[in-house]
Amino acid sequence: KGRFFILCHFPIASEEFMQMVVNDNSEVINVYGHVHSNAQKGFYKGTYHIGVDTNNLTPISIEQVWSESWPEEMMTPEVVAYKEAHSGDTNN
């Protein structure tokens, strides 16, 4: 779908890695947990905290992470077309 996720238990701690891979690449999101209620809720500066403790004790779907971290105005026309063609399709 044109988006890449780096899944980690902890948020990425290396500023150099974050700058190189996440901050300079709008297609990469660092998805993490561990920091509990000390984390920024939802999408924030290339990261997304998915811990249930900051999300009303509710699991977060990858679709929610994807849509909140990449609004349509940031998508290329090809990605918008893909999204429209596969809306409701749970196999991709």
Side-chain angles (χ1 to χ4, degrees):
K1 295 183 178 181
R3 204 62 157 163
F4 300 92
F5 300 98
I6 298 172
L7 307 172
C8 302
H9 178 74
F10 296 92
I12 295 173
S14 166
E15 288 295 325
E16 181 179 346
F17 183 80
M18 281 294 289
Q19 184 64 35
M20 180 177 57
V21 176
V22 178
N23 295 339
D24 289 345
N25 187 342
S26 63
E27 296 177 347
V28 177
I29 301 295
N30 173 213
V31 179
Y32 69 95
H34 180 75
V35 294
H36 307 287
S37 60
N38 293 328
Q40 178 79 28
K41 183 176 180 176
F43 180 69
Y44 179 72
K45 294 186 177 181
T47 67
Y48 197 107
H49 181 257
I50 59 169
V52 297
D53 42 358
T54 57
N55 294 294
N56 299 320
L57 299 178
T58 304
I60 303 299
S61 70
I62 197 66
E63 289 82 10
Q64 181 176 343
V65 173
W66 193 77
S67 65
E68 289 180 15
S69 63
W70 204 14
E72 285 203 24
E73 59 268 14
M74 292 176 61
M75 294 180 191
T76 64
E78 295 81 14
V79 173
V80 172
Y82 179 92
K83 183 179 175 186
E84 290 171 356
H86 294 89
S87 63
D89 183 358
T90 59
N91 294 322
N92 55 32

